[in-house]
Amino acid sequence: EDQVTQSPEALRLQEGESSSLNCSYTVSGLRGLFWYRQDPGKGPEFLFTLYSAGEEKEKERLKATLTKKESFLHITAPKPEDSATYLCAVQFYSGGYQKVTFGTGTKLQVIP
Amino acid sequence: DAGVIQSPRHEVTEMGQEVTLRCKPISGHDYLFWYRQTMMRGLELLIYFNNNVPIDDSGMPEDRFSAKMPNASFSTLKIQPSEPRDSAVYFCASSAVAGSGYNEQFFGPGTRLTVL
């Protein structure tokens, strides 16, 4: 069964305390892995796309990496404004067309 | 561009009533998606369209749910009759063509549905 699992469910960090979020997946025919940020009361906002193992993308304090079975979202020296829920999504081919499955997210809280 | 537009933003209705949610995708995007988000199940894809044609509706929970896309700038998700377990936030998203499929999606602000 195609699955996407995110851990931890929630993470509380002090400002400046670096950490990583994990997204593990079991799908065949991976087309891409996507990271989104969701603020309360809003829709998810796109952050990164990773297509192949070994690929890395960076944006400000965030860095996403991809292996054949999982992806990490590294947060370096986070600030309170980084507090949000981070979702990963896997796009893959199944039954002749493209599908997408989202993880349940990691809720990040950064304390000043 | 104004982004993906959804209406209404909030809907409160009684069990058994018909509910219609509306979405305007980003101009030029060929893909449109409907999602449902709950605390228990997270973000679930209900259905998606490509060039106004439904491609995958395997996520539609049951026959009470239906979706249409009569033209490139408008889509509806209808629930008839509604039930309390349909209470959730419903998101619409759109995406541009990328190769043989689509890439990142742009989400609307969502419609919070409460069925009493």
Side-chain angles (χ1 to χ4, degrees):
Chain A
E1 181 182 345
D2 301 312
Q3 285 201 2
V4 181
T5 304
Q6 290 190 247
S7 62
E9 289 187 9
L11 182 62
R12 191 173 179 180
L13 300 173
Q14 290 292 132
E15 184 172 0
E17 179 186 3
S18 301
S19 188
S20 296
L21 314 181
N22 177 262
C23 172
S24 62
Y25 60 93
T26 54
V27 302
S28 56
L30 179 71
R31 189 177 184 276
L33 186 141
F34 298 75
W35 283 98
Y36 292 83
R37 168 191 171 127
Q38 185 173 23
D39 292 299
K42 296 188 176 182
E45 179 183 349
F46 169 72
L47 292 173
F48 301 110
T49 308
L50 301 165
Y51 292 106
S52 56
E55 189 174 359
E56 298 182 354
K57 293 276 181 71
E58 284 189 70
K59 180 180 180 181
E60 295 181 355
R61 295 175 293 281
L62 300 178
K63 177 179 169 182
T65 62
L66 181 66
T67 71
K68 288 187 178 180
K69 293 185 177 181
E70 59 190 348
S71 176
F72 291 94
L73 184 65
H74 307 277
I75 303 177
T76 302
K79 298 182 178 182
E81 53 263 41
D82 295 322
S83 297
T85 296
Y86 291 85
L87 300 167
C88 74
V90 173
Q91 292 185 9
F92 57 99
Y93 288 104
S94 177
Y97 50 85
Q98 195 170 338
K99 286 183 173 285
V100 60
T101 298
F102 276 79
T104 52
T106 293
K107 186 174 183 178
L108 173 66
Q109 183 183 13
V110 181
I111 304 165
Chain B
D1 198 320
V4 175
I5 299 172
Q6 291 186 247
S7 65
R9 293 294 312 277
H10 302 273
E11 177 80 35
V12 180
T13 190
E14 293 189 348
M15 182 174 63
Q17 296 298 305
E18 177 179 297
V19 174
T20 300
L21 311 182
R22 297 172 176 81
C23 176
K24 176 180 169 55
I26 293 172
S27 177
H29 281 188
D30 293 320
Y31 288 88
L32 183 139
F33 307 81
W34 282 102
Y35 289 89
R36 176 172 68 178
Q37 187 173 44
T38 61
M39 289 294 294
M40 290 297 295
R41 300 175 67 90
L43 195 63
E44 301 174 281
L45 177 64
L46 300 177
I47 185 172
Y48 82 88
F49 295 82
N50 177 210
N51 290 326
N52 313 336
V53 176
I55 301 300
D56 181 9
D57 65 354
S58 61
M60 295 287 262
E62 48 197 277
D63 292 345
R64 298 185 297 107
F65 286 69
S66 63
K68 294 183 178 180
M69 191 164 186
N71 57 62
S73 60
F74 183 67
S75 177
T76 59
L77 178 68
K78 186 176 293 186
I79 308 172
Q80 166 64 18
S82 58
E83 297 182 2
R85 60 192 168 116
D86 301 330
S87 297
V89 180
Y90 290 81
F91 287 103
C92 175
S94 69
S95 182
V97 170
S100 59
Y102 55 88
N103 280 343
E104 68 270 18
Q105 298 173 42
F106 296 83
F107 285 78
T111 295
R112 182 174 293 278
L113 173 65
T114 302
V115 183
L116 303 175

